[in-house]
């Protein structure tokens, strides 16, 4: 017997795609995600080496690297709290490797892969759209690529990564994913009609 | 130009031509009431009227009734859950019903009823429970289904398809609103007429004791000897009590409210909703008066955070879509003193001759006549009135709390 | 709305934070040794000053870490933030 | 007759806009406001006053106008707008108001939104000071936001025909705006009113984005936007409002502020009337007189209250044939509707008949009030400036500077200099040193406003001397208030209602303060001004609600199985933010029928439900057991790996806070479950203790609530169903005992199966990743088909557990209930030295014999269903209130298994009353009920092992 997985936003695939050209929005489902709690610097370093990506030492940033599990990101979630993110299907193996790396250091490793889902947003208007619900200053001078903040987007908590010039990744709790998708679609309405952004008609 | 049969507010009575004279404090009083808000003024009034104690001063650090009395949403009701609470609030409601005649002042008590909406099945259970308790306590209360809600207040969105559908409501027909300035000034004028001194711009800076008994009050306008001191300072109660070495289980929080411009009558009653943290009435002249839950942090700044107002607005528009293009005219905040069980503390203190009336949280206005009456009894007789007897400071030690959180989350 | 400086994430909107009341109120070493009065004091009685107040906040929508702050309750000005376990810093309101 | 000038004004005369007012058709032009278009047609009467029903017109040209209230009816009805701020559009329909608006009963179709903006320097006001401030800051490289309430920049320059540096001021403004808009990092917000100033540089501004487009407004664009601006430094260049002088009959239409008349002329090409009397206490009104005279208005007289008229300006008037009468005042006016004449007499002169001057317009200037509302909101102290007759900013604030007329400075170049200094200082403070000097403009203006006489009112008929025109509050009212003994301005404001109307006293507040001070014989400098509170101008409720409406009002949380429930026709219950299936009605079933069917199927065969909303927390670390021992009332550290224990959590007050199961996954790892509603609260509770009290403990908590889909599979045939989908699992009672768990594969998916039961039946709780929830659920449905497997909702779950006497936190408890009250003393450890809540159990109140205890109630008539929430009384007749109440019904259901109704209740001394009859008032009758144990079904627990 096999069972196909279903992602939290599978019903939103077309709806999110239809936001182009305002924004390119898509769910990136089934990623492996592990919440790692550890404060011991040596253990942190060991875990980084095992994954091929140094853990972020600066709050509100994330790191990327490549190793035995391919491309891996490590997100700073709080002091001594990280989210390791990799491609689908690797969570069990990564959990084992990180647990080994931590050794006897105080800490925990928990598979939280399905706890949150991932939405990627790209396009020149991405900051404008997010600014309708996010109070964090997303100007490149304040939030350069590599930034990773936990904050609120409208009325849901998110983890927000700045991944490129006009590219963001949003991680959202699975039960709030439908709200997030509805919110993004709604926020884009403002930018769907060409006449809205034409000068002299509607204010900035 | 539109014609209007009756200009808004034209039916409202005017204030009288004489209110009170500003007074210089005397050197000594039988009773000094600290705090010239509704509770302080009412206490002084009943001390004079019921107990014949007229050598009384009410000390107010700012202008009379300029604290929470000037900053509340004037909702009056008595449909509380527990016997202890419904006792004192119903006592108060009965006094409200005769207050205009008693004071000879138009306080505009308008018994338009209050709806407490239920939005979840547990809200329904809690509402029915409260209605049943109220009725057994002799308080008018009804349980309404959504159709009944719509009948009382047609502008409430009772559609089942909204985010927080209205599943029913408790209704207290005798509840209502009053005009807060009229109430305060009515008490002030009547107390003044019986000889009570009203001293404004008089901040209490210290409380003196001698032999375990209160002896004097130090103020920004000099030292005043006092046989008894009654504290009625709402949000500032902790600060005052500390002057007598008392620590109180209180936290002072901002509580925000707001008002719209004058609008033609649309809202015939008072609507409260705990689940979405909003309560609304339409005042006598037509302005919508709204309040929200308290801000989370301690604060004496008479100012809250605006996101609380924004959340309140979105909640209000879910319940009342017709409010969309009403305009916010003014926002403000009071300082409410919140106790751990959301019930007041009224009674004696370990310091002889010092009496405490505080912890009313968001419920103080509606209690004004009731607590004034009972607190005056407490001060005059040095023992609590039966209605405030349960609200001792000792209950936090014994555990005999009167937990009204369910009723008081948005208790107005 | 205030900006609260989380010791880890930096200044964020107040809406991201959860208020935790007075700081430096330690859980009693042995509650069973306390009188009812002493236990009530721990449970319910807190300072409530008009002025600087050492209190607890949690960056609940951010890094979820508790920290302490000294805030002037009259103005809401945050005079200092510091981590749990650190002593209350000197402040001038 | 038209009052439109042949040329001039910033209007598009080539385009005609049609509109109606009070049902009559008019025309105007793009660039007009409703007020200017009406005045162009000679329409001055806008509405009637709120109390006295007197006609009221247009007093000012902008948002400070106290009187021109209208209801705009198209495209959507909106109450209480000022005609002076409604931009004209084709098809506009409006009507005048008597101080009270009307809410539409139709749903408002417009969009409203909010946007966060961050900047280094926020400049409020795009007059000369604000423009120079913004440009100076922008040239430094700072991120700048410039917000202005008008539809174009310029501020006071919009209302004059001055030349700056030998060219029209509009050109200078256009150049500055062009440079600002082309500078990266600069945002210019037109039609945007900063209405609230809060802490830490938080400023709220409302932008009216599409109102001026009327019917052409795109439906997809937000009509209004609240800008949530977070700035490091703010420059307030909010200007000044002209102040009237109070005199008898000062409320008639046609009586207008002098500068506003000048604004109507220069900005809109509209004359206020044909023949005007100008009444002033200062120089600025002379420009209005001169400009209007040059535009063809017959200036009947300039009445200057000062003993001497300014010589140069008087000469300019004389050159245009305009008489100036110094030392005089307007003492009254005539007219049934619009003003028809002004009475002029010497100030403080001998009694006698004043001169009557025929006119249709009276222009008034009593000086200028700096606009200090935002400064005051920022908690800046105000100071009374006796020369100006107004409150001005009285201190420097750390991050807020004031520039221009808002400081009381009225000379243009000086205002611009203040703007430049403030802009440079703000940018520098934000880390951007100067980037290039902005040249200060020099005006050719003939009038400066500074040299004025402070005059609040002209003695005369006090009952028609209006202080607050909108509230109909007169000098009589003020004097009556001071006569009652009131001294505080706040009291007098409340007595008279001055300053509480739509305009919040923008033109009346200062005058009221002045008249009160005169009446009381005190210095204004000693008066505390009344408090300025947000918003600066009214803001619609919908704008503040923004997008947080409808489905975005409050997030709906759903489980991975939600689509299945919807497809199956489930009806849902809100539990916190979650949607949980309440029951799954089949054809024509109501709640009771569906629940009886679901209960029966589950007790007799097998049912299953979605339990995914239960909170799940992974607790890891060497001290995890010790930690859980402190949080739960019972012992968790002794739990063996592979086993499960039920636990209760209390608050410090000893009252039940939550309950759930704890499974021990490994030596140093537990997973605990919480109730649906308390998941976040319990995790926060754990973190709070760990971080603030016990940081020495080696424990980490991680929420895994949404990682798992949780499916309770319940009933005597659950074992058969599970066996079919979990071939690798030995499901026998011996191999898989009650209160143990196994990791296995269910439907080919890794799963954790727990043998727990909230129904008393043989039951399994299957946990798989949320991604696999639907697939596994469907596999279970398929495997259970032969047993008639029945999905059930929360209602059936409630009945099944109630039959077993299991409480639901929040339904059986209300923060006043201890574990002992619930009959769960067995779950409270007597061995542990301490745990949260333990100390409170020893308090006097907790040891009262008459505490309320959880019991069952069986109505004597087994068909009577007690309403939940009913109270319980002792006697079979209800005495007079207050009636002693024993407790209340917490849960009540018809039971398929019991073949009757039953209830759970909290009853005083309940356990002692078992077997007694008590009474439940239901409507007007008393229902006798028998008190029983809370466990009513399968008391021996025989069913749970199947």
């Amino acid at each position: 017997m096999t069972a196909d997985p279903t992602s939290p936003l599978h019903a939103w695939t077309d709806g999110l795609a239809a936001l182009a050209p305002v924004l390119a929005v898509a769910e990136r489902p089934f990623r492996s995600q592990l919440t790692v709690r550890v404060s011991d610097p040596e253990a942190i370093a060991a875990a980084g080496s095992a994954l091929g990506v140094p853990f972020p030492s600066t709050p509100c940033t994330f790191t990327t690297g490549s190793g035995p599990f391919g491309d891996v990101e490590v997100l700073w979630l709080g002091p001594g709290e990280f989210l390791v993110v990799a491609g689908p299907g690797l969570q069990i193996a990564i959990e084992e490797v990180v647990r080994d790396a931590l050794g006897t250091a105080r800490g925990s490793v928990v598979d939280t892969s399905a706890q949150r889902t991932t939405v990627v947003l790209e396009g020149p208007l991405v900051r404008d759209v997010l600014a309708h619900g996010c109070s964090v200053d997303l100007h490149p001078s304040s939030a350069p690529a590599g930034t990773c903040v936990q904050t609120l987007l409208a009325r849901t908590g998110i983890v927000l990564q700045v991944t490129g010039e006009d590219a963001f990744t949003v991680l959202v709790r699975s039960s709030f994913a439908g709200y997030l998708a509805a919110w993004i679609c709604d926020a884009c309405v403002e930018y769907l009609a060409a006449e809205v952004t034409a000068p002299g008609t509607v204010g900035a | 130009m539109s014609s209007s049969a009756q200009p808004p507010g034209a039916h409202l009575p005017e204030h009288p031509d004489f209110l009170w004279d500003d007074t210089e404090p005397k050197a000594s009083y039988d009773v000094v009431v600290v705090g010239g808000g509704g509770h302080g003024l009412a206490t002084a009034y009943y001390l004079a009227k019921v107990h014949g104690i007229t050598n009384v001063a009410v000390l107010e650090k700012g202008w009379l009734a300029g604290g929470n009395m000037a900053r509340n949403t004037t909702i009056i009701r008595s449909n509380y859950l527990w016997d202890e609470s419904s006792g004192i609030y119903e006592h108060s409601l009965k006094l409200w019903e005769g207050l205009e005649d008693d004071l000879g002042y138009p306080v505009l008590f308008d018994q338009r009823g209050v709806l407490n909406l239920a939005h979840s099945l547990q809200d329904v259970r809690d509402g029915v429970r409260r209605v049943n308790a109220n009725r057994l306590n002799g308080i008018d209360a009804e349980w309404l289904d959504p159709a009944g809600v719509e009948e009382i207040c047609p502008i409430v969105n009772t559609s089942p398809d909204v985010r927080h559908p209205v599943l029913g409501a408790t209704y207290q027909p005798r509840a209502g609103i009053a005009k807060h300035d009229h109430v305060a000034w009515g008490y002030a004028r009547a107390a003044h007429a019986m000889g009570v001194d009203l001293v404004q711009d008089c901040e209490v800076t210290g409380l003196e004791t001698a032999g375990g008994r209160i002896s004097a009050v130090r103020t920004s306008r000099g030292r005043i000897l006092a046989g008894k001191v009654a504290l009625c300072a709402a949000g500032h109660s902790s600060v005052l009590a500390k002057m007598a070495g008392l620590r109180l289980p209180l936290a002072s929080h901002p509580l925000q409210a707001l008002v719209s411009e004058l609008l033609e009558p649309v809202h015939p009653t008072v609507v409260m909703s705990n689940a979405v943290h909003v309560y609304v009435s339409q005042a006598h002249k037509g302005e919508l008066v709204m309040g929200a839950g308290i801000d989370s942090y301690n604060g004496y700044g008479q100012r809250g955070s605006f996101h609380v107002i924004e959340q309140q607005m979105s909640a209000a528009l879910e319940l009342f879509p017709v409010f969309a293009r009403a305009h916010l005219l003014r926002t403000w905040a009071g300082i409410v003193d919140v106790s751990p069980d959301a019930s007041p503390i009224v009674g004696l203190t370990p310091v002889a001759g010092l009496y405490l009336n505080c912890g009313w949280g968001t419920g103080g206005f509606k209690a004004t006549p009731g607590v004034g009456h009972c607190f005056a009894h407490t001060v005059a007789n040095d023992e609590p009135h039966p209605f405030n007897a349960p609200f001792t400071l000792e209950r936090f030690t014994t555990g005999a709390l009167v937990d009204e959180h369910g009723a008081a989350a948005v208790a107005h | 709305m205030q900006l609260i400086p989380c010791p880890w994430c930096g200044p964020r909107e107040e809406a991201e934070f959860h208020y935790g009341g007075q700081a430096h109120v330690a859980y009693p070493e042995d509650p069973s040794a306390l009188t009812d009065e002493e236990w009530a004091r721990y449970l319910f009685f807190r300072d409530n000053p008009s002025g600087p107040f050492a209190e607890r906040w949690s960056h609940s929508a951010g890094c979820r870490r508790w920290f302490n702050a000294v805030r002037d309750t009259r103005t809401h000005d945050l005079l200092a933030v510091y981590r749990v376990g650190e002593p209350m810093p000197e402040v001038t309101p | 007759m038209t009052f439109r000038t042949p040329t001039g004004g910033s209007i598009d005369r080539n385009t005609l806009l049609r509109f109606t007012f009070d049902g009559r058709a008019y025309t105007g032009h793009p660039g007009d406001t409703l007020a200017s278009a009406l005045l162009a047609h000679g329409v001055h009467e806008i509405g009637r006053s709120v109390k006295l029903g007197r006609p009221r017109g247009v007093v000012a040209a902008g948002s400070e106008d106290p009187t021109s209230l209208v209801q705009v009816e198209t495209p959507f009805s909106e109450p209480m707008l000022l005609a002076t701020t409604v931009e004209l559009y084709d098809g506009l329909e409006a009507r005048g108001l008597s101080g009270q608006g009307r809410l539409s009963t139709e749903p408002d179709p417009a969009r409203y939104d909010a946007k966060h903006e961050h900047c280094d320097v926020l400049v409020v006001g795009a007059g000369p000071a604000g423009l120079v401030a913004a440009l100076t800051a922008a040239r430094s490289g700072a991120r700048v936001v410039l917000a202005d309430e008008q539809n174009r920049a310029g501020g006071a320059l919009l209302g004059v025909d001055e030349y700056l540096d030998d060219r029209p001021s509009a050109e200078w403004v256009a150049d500055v705006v062009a440079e600002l808009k082309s500078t990266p990092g600069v945002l210019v917000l037109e039609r945007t009113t900063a209405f609230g100033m809060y802490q830490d540089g938080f400023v709220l501004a409302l932008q009216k984005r599409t109102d001026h487009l009327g019917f052409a407004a795109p439906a997809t664009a937000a009509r209004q936007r609240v800008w949530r601006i977070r700035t490091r430094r703010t420059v307030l260049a909010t200007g000044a409002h002209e102040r009237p002088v109070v005199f008898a009959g000062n409320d008639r239409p046609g009586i207008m502020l002098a500068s506003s008349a000048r604004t109507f002329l220069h900005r809109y090409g509209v004359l206020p009337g044909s023949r005007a009397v100008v009444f002033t206490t200062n120089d600025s009104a002379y420009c209005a007189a001169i400009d209007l005279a040059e535009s063809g208005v017959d200036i009947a007289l300039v009445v200057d209250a000062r003993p001497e008229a300014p010589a140069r300006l008087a000469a300019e008037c004389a050159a245009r044939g305009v008489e100036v009468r110094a030392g005089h005042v307007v003492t009254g006016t005539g007219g049934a509707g619009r003003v028809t004449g002004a009475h002029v007499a010497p100030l403080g002169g001998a009694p006698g008949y004043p001169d009557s001057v025929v006119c249709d317009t009276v222009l008034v200037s009593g000086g200028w009030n700096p606009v200090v509302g935002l400064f005051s909101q920022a908690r800046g102290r105000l100071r009374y400036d006796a020369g100006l007759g107004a409150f001005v900013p009285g201190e420097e604030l750390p991050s807020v500077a004031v520039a221009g007329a808002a400081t009381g400075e009225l000379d243009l170049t000086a205002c611009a200099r203040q703007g430049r200094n403030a802009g440079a200082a703000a940018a520098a403070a934000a880390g951007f040193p100067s980037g290039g000097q902005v040249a200060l403009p020099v005006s050719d203006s003939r009038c400066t406003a500074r040299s004025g006489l402070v005059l609040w009112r002209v003695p005369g008929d006090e009952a028609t001397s209006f202080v607050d025109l909108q509230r109909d509050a007169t000098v009589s009212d003020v004097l009556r208030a001071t006569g009652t003994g009131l001294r505080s301005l706040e009291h007098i404001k409340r007595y008279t209602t001055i300053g509480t109307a739509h305009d919040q006293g923008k033109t009346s507040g200062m005058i009221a303060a002045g008249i009160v001070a005169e009446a009381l014989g005190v210095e204004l400098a000693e008066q505390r001004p009344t408090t300025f509170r947000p918003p600066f101008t009214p803001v619609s409720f919908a704008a503040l609600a923004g997008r947080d409406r409808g489905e975005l009002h409050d997030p709906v949380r759903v489980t991975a199985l939600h689509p299945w429930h919807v497809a199956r026709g489930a009806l849902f219950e809100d539990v916190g933010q979650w949607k949980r299936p309440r029951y799954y009605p089949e054809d024509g079933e109501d709640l009771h029928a569906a629940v009886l069917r679901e209960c029966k199927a589950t007790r007799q065969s097998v049912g299953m439900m979605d339990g995914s909303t239960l909170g799940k927390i992974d607790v890891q670390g060497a001290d995890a057991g010790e930690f859980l021992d402190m949080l739960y009332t019972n012992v968790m550290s002794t739990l063996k790996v592979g086993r499960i224990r039920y636990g209760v959590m209390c608050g410090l007050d000893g009252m039940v806070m939550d309950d759930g199961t704890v499974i021990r996954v490994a030596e140093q790892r537990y997973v605990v479950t919480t109730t649906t509603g308390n998941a976040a609260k319990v995790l926060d509770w754990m973190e709070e203790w760990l971080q603030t009290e016990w940081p020495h403990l080696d424990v980490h908590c991680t929420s895994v609530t949404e990682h798992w889909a949780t499916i309770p599979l319940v009933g005597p045939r659950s074992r058969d169903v599970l066996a079919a989908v979990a071939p690798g699992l030995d499901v026998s009672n011996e191999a898989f005992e009650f209160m143990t768990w196994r990791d296995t594969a269910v439907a080919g998916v890794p799963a954790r199966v727990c043998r727990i039961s909230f129904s008393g039946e043989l039951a399994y709780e299957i946990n798989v990743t949320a991604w696999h929830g639907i697939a596994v659920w469907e596999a279970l449905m398929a495997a259970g088909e032969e047993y008639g497997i029945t999905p059930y909702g929360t209602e059936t779950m409630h009945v099944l557990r109630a039959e077993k006497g299991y409480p639901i936190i929040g339904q059986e408890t209300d923060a006043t209930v201890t574990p002992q009250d619930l009959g769960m003393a067995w779950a409270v450890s007597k061995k542990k030295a301490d745990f949260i809540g333990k100390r409170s159990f020893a308090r006097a109140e907790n040891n009262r014999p008459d505490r309320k205890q959880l019991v069952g109630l069986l109505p004597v008539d087994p068909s009577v269903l007690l309403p939940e929430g009913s109270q319980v009384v002792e006697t079979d007749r209800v005495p007079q209130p207050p009636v002693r109440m024993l407790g209340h019904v917490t849960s009540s259901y018809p039971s398929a298994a019991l073949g009757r109704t039953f209830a759970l209740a909290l009853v005083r001394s309940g356990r002692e009353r078992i077997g007694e009859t008590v009474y439940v008032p239901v409507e007007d009758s008393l229902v006798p009920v028998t008190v029983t144990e809370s466990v009513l079904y399968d008391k021996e627990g025989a069913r749970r092992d199947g």
Side-chain angles (χ1 to χ4, degrees), chain B residues 1 8 24 37 40 51 64 79 103 139 150 157 160 215 222 229 233 252 260 262 274-275 302 305 322 324-325:
Chain B
M1 197 178 316
E24 281 296 320
H51 305 282
L64 278 189
N79 56 350
L103 296 179
I139 293 169
E150 200 172 344
N157 186 358
S215 58
V229 172
S252 294
S260 79
L262 308 190
N274 279 11
Q302 293 189 330
S305 298
V322 304
R325 293 206 182 184

Side-chain angles (χ1 to χ4, degrees), chain A residues 2 11 22 49 63 88 98 103 122 124 135 139 151 169-170 175 182 188-189 199 202:
Chain A
T2 58
V22 176
S49 332
T63 52
V98 174
E122 284 185 49
S135 65
H139 190 272
T151 183
T169 295
V170 174
S175 66
C188 285
V189 165
V202 176

Side-chain angles (χ1 to χ4, degrees), chain B residues 1 7 15-17 264 327-328, chain D residues 22 50 78 101 480 495 539 554:
Chain B
M1 197 178 316
H15 291 290
D17 286 329
E264 290 176 14
H327 298 99
L328 170 69
Chain D
D22 284 340
V50 67
E78 177 154 353
R480 220 175 126 244
Y495 190 96
V539 180
D554 185 20

Side-chain angles (χ1 to χ4, degrees), chain B residues 17-23 41 63-65 105 181 184-193 196 198-200, chain D residues 482-487 491:
Chain B
D17 286 329
F18 178 73
L19 291 168
W20 63 81
D21 283 323
D22 258 12
T23 320
L41 293 166
W63 37 284
L64 278 189
Y105 204 109
D181 291 332
W185 299 356
Y187 273 118
R189 190 179 70 140
H192 180 72
V196 170
L198 307 177
V199 187
Q200 303 186 73
Chain D
T482 55
T484 62
L486 295 178
R487 293 291 176 273
H491 279 146

Side-chain angles (χ1 to χ4, degrees), chain D residues 7-152:
Chain D
T7 58
S10 309
I11 52 169
D12 173 9
R13 290 170 186 265
N14 297 321
T15 306
L16 212 57
L17 303 176
R18 281 167 297 272
F19 71 100
T20 71
F21 182 72
D22 284 340
R24 286 193 58 183
Y26 300 94
T27 58
H29 301 290
D32 264 327
T33 61
L34 175 58
S36 70
L38 286 172
L39 294 180
H41 292 278
V43 178
H44 276 251
E45 288 190 36
I46 302 297
R48 297 251 163 199
S49 71
V50 67
K51 206 158 94 185
L52 304 172
R54 290 170 68 101
R56 288 288 150 80
V58 177
V59 171
S63 64
E64 76 276 27
D65 182 50
T67 47
S68 69
L69 288 169
V70 297
Q71 178 102 16
V72 167
E73 302 286 10
T74 55
F76 189 82
S77 188
E78 177 154 353
M80 300 294 272
L81 297 173
L82 287 170
T84 55
T85 61
V86 173
E87 293 185 51
L88 199 66
Y89 50 84
D90 202 47
L92 171 70
E93 291 174 21
R95 59 186 180 84
L97 288 176
S98 298
Q100 195 182 48
R102 180 178 47 77
L103 293 173
S104 170
T105 53
E106 298 298 309
D108 182 354
R111 265 179 84 85
Y112 300 82
D113 73 6
K115 199 171 179 191
H116 294 270
E117 182 67 33
H118 300 260
C119 61
D120 298 308
V121 179
L122 167 68
V123 180
V124 181
L131 286 169
V132 172
L135 191 59
T136 302
R139 285 184 182 172
S140 75
R143 287 163 72 187
V144 176
V145 173
L146 172 63
D148 186 90
E149 67 173 353
Q150 303 283 338
N151 61 3
R152 60 178 65 203

Side-chain angles (χ1 to χ4, degrees), chain D residues 237-395:
Chain D
T238 43
H241 288 148
E242 194 164 24
R243 177 173 71 229
V245 180
V246 174
F247 49 85
N250 61 332
D251 64 328
R252 292 195 161 85
I255 301 174
M256 190 182 284
L257 289 164
S259 67
S260 293
R262 205 173 167 217
T263 297
F264 281 115
L265 169 64
H266 294 303
R267 186 165 174 186
Y268 305 106
V270 170
L271 301 176
S274 308
R275 184 173 157 84
V277 168
V278 178
F279 172 29
T280 188
T281 63
N282 63 84
D283 287 0
S284 65
Y286 281 84
C287 274
I290 292 165
D291 290 359
L292 288 168
E294 287 181 348
S295 301
V297 177
D298 177 7
I299 304 295
L301 188 63
V302 172
V303 182
D304 193 329
R306 294 173 291 184
E308 299 281 333
R312 187 175 54 80
L313 291 169
E316 295 231 24
C317 285
R320 291 164 179 84
V322 173
E323 182 192 348
V324 175
R325 210 174 289 178
H328 279 64
V329 289
V330 171
T331 58
T333 66
R338 183 171 179 177
V339 65
T340 55
H343 310 310
V344 177
L347 174 62
Y353 288 105
D355 273 359
S356 279
V357 183
V358 173
C359 61
D360 62 2
T361 304
V362 177
L363 303 182
V364 186
S365 177
W368 296 82
N369 295 334
V371 178
V372 292
L374 291 178
F375 179 80
S376 175
Q377 284 187 30
R379 299 195 171 240
R381 266 201 312 275
L382 301 177
R383 170 179 65 80
Y384 180 67
D385 180 327
L388 207 58
F391 287 107
V392 297
E395 64 175 333

Side-chain angles (χ1 to χ4, degrees), chain B residues 143-212:
Chain B
W143 175 256
L144 301 178
D145 62 11
V149 171
E150 200 172 344
E151 206 170 296
I152 299 288
C153 189
I155 57 168
V156 173
N157 186 358
T158 51
S159 158
D161 300 326
V162 298
R163 177 65 184 91
H164 296 288
V166 174
L167 302 184
T170 69
Y171 182 52
Q172 184 181 22
R174 285 164 62 240
I177 58 171
K179 287 281 276 184
H180 45 63
D181 291 332
H182 293 235
V183 175
W185 299 356
Y187 273 118
R189 190 179 70 140
H192 180 72
M194 288 186 284
V196 170
D197 281 356
L198 307 177
V199 187
Q200 303 186 73
D201 290 315
C202 182
E203 182 167 8
V204 171
T205 55
L207 297 172
E208 294 181 15
T209 55

